[in-house]
Amino acid sequence: MAIQETDVLIVGGGPTGVTLAMELAASGIPFRIVDKELQRSDKSRALGVQPRTLELLNRHGDVQSLISRGNLSGGTTFYINRKLAADVDTTGLAEDTAFPLVLIVSQVDTEVYLDECLAKYGFAVERGLEAQSIVQDPEGVTVKLSKPDGAEEIIRAKYVVGADGAHSCVRRAATNLKFEGSAYPQDFILCDASIRNASIPWDRFSLCMGKGSLAVFPLHDGTCRVVASRIGPKRTEDPKLEDFQGMLDMLHPGAGELYDPTWMTQFHLHHRGVSGYRDRRLLVAGDAAHIHSPAGAQGMNTGIQDAINLGWKLAKVVRGERPAAFLDSYDRERRPIGQHLLESSDKMFTWGCSANPFFVMFRNILFTWVLPWYVGSRARRAGIFKFISEFGISYKDGPAVAAAPGFSAAIAAGDRVPDKLVRSAGKERYFLELLTPETHHLVLFAGVGAHAASREALLDAQAQFDSHNPDKAKMHIILSELVGADGKSGYTDVGDCLHKELGLTKPSYLYIRPDSYVEHVGYLTDLKELRTWLKRNAVGF
């Protein structure tokens, strides 16, 4: 049997796997992506696409095409014992992005968008291929794949990534990875159905607590998702539409009448996390690395961001631009995110879905009085939204980022790059549109006011760096409104808003990774510190 070779084999063709495939395709890395299922599921599954995910997916294809298929959620409405407790408005909380709201959309549509983006690179998920054995050695990984007709194929890859869910065969093949956690005791039911005579706002999702708990998510086509925790002893029979209607009537005033269900199911939830994201040449991402409650709509988004963090790092290692040990930074950056997510979603889930009657009574009384006060503060709402939106994710404590000595600003190494409008040749666009996914970007900022550098000084600094540019980074110049750009030598920061958001009054540079996080930052006079940093990364990590 002939052995097929590739650099990276991705096992699992869901959102995590396809996102990783896009990252590798953008970087020109040979790969294959396989999935044992012959076709995609037609069930809605994960609904929430967070603003940070929208920003990052927009690097591969106009994400407005996905947004048009769903609802942008302007907040959450809380009901306690059928009474409105709080209406949490999230509009206007994120001012440094082109995508300030959570998108509620069927995973079917999300996967269509992802497949379309991958197709633009000339790739597609190979379906009906199941990994039967995975064996790694110091030089690579040998994988035996089987087809539905019994035919087999052997693949030899430098690295194998498991994006194959909670029962990951890649994770099981890794001898050094443990998947620890447990199941929640609650019994849940889910329904997608049309709804009529409803007085609920279509730009909000509702969380209802009382004797039991309920969530309602309006969808784009006049349907909605209803999720409820069953009350009383566990039952094995499939839920019926009247079960959901009864919970709606009991917990959500004015919710309306459900009809024409397209999906009804029951399920149990787990919370588990892997002990490491890398075992030599095997790596895991998404549900293969962490599964948890859907509280906060973080799961799919976290998997997508796992893939985006890993993709460019694999590309660097495969091309020999970073040592293999550089892949440890994937674990060191993403596993703390996954662990924090498990802890936070577990707390949210416990508060919202506890079956303990004494705790439920205490929670309902407490929330009735405390929740309106707590969310009445814009600062507190903004803090919550920063977590939910995933804008707050930072790798500033990780080993793969650094700042020049003495640098101090609002932006720090490891932070997400905020987004504002820039202008060139009379046309405005968002800054993040400049940050394509296939390479690093060196962005030189003029600074503002009396400290601002001239256009000529920035062009000189750019030329000096370009003489030794090991990452082949793209370079950009951002000028203040006062200096202005001539359409050929950079962009004008509209209203100097980007400078202000970053806290850059002095001439400075940002060295931005392909995943749009800051790798290195400093004042323009310290650009030599970036060269030293890049030399160090090229030989060791």
Side-chain angles (χ1 to χ4, degrees), residues 47-92:
L47 296 182
V49 183
Q50 298 296 344
R52 180 54 172 162
T53 304
L54 295 173
E55 279 188 343
L56 293 172
L57 292 181
N58 199 49
R59 295 150 58 248
H60 294 287
D62 184 5
V63 81
Q64 290 294 342
S65 66
L66 175 60
I67 292 173
S68 67
R69 302 170 194 176
N71 278 340
L72 289 171
S73 174
T76 307
T77 304
F78 287 88
Y79 292 90
I80 308 293
N81 291 326
R82 286 183 55 82
K83 294 182 179 179
L84 177 63
D87 180 57
V88 183
D89 186 3
T90 59
T91 59

Side-chain angles (χ1 to χ4, degrees), residues 402-405 407 409 411-413 441-447 458 461 465 476 502 504 506-512 518-534:
F407 178 79
I411 190 73
H441 296 261
L442 176 64
V443 187
L444 306 181
F445 288 86
L458 295 173
F465 181 83
H476 314 275
L502 296 167
L504 301 180
K506 298 179 181 179
S508 305
Y509 68 85
L510 297 184
Y511 196 64
I512 302 172
V518 178
E519 178 172 322
H520 205 275
V521 60
Y523 296 122
L524 192 62
T525 53
D526 294 322
L527 194 56
K528 62 183 182 297
E529 296 291 340
L530 173 58
R531 299 190 188 96
T532 302
W533 167 261
L534 294 175

Side-chain angles (χ1 to χ4, degrees), residues 65 87 172 182 191 211 304 307 324 401 418 449 454 465 480 539:
S65 66
D87 180 57
R172 291 198 297 268
S182 60
C191 173
K211 189 179 180 183
I304 288 172
V401 300
S454 66
F465 181 83
S480 68
V539 298

Side-chain angles (χ1 to χ4, degrees), residues 72-202:
L72 289 171
S73 174
T76 307
T77 304
F78 287 88
Y79 292 90
I80 308 293
N81 291 326
R82 286 183 55 82
K83 294 182 179 179
L84 177 63
D87 180 57
V88 183
D89 186 3
T90 59
T91 59
L93 295 180
E95 299 177 340
D96 61 349
T97 179
F99 307 103
L101 299 175
V102 179
L103 175 65
I104 305 299
V105 66
S106 167
Q107 188 173 325
V108 172
D109 292 311
T110 300
E111 290 175 343
V112 168
Y113 165 80
L114 292 172
D115 285 344
E116 290 171 348
C117 290
L118 184 59
K120 292 176 183 177
Y121 290 109
F123 295 92
V125 178
E126 300 177 53
R127 298 205 161 271
L129 291 174
E130 182 174 3
Q132 297 293 344
S133 67
I134 302 172
V135 180
Q136 66 171 320
D137 56 60
E139 283 73 43
V141 188
T142 302
V143 182
K144 180 186 289 187
L145 300 175
S146 65
K147 300 179 181 180
D149 61 3
E152 294 183 338
E153 179 182 358
I154 303 296
I155 293 182
R156 182 70 174 168
K158 294 176 182 177
Y159 293 94
V160 173
V161 181
D164 48 343
H167 303 289
S168 171
C169 63
V170 177
R171 189 187 63 241
R172 291 198 297 268
T175 57
N176 296 323
L177 303 185
K178 297 179 181 179
F179 202 43
E180 299 171 329
S182 60
Y184 289 108
Q186 290 90 340
D187 181 21
F188 289 88
I189 54 176
L190 176 153
C191 173
D192 287 352
S194 297
I195 191 168
R196 59 191 166 208
N197 301 324
S199 60
I200 57 176
W202 218 250

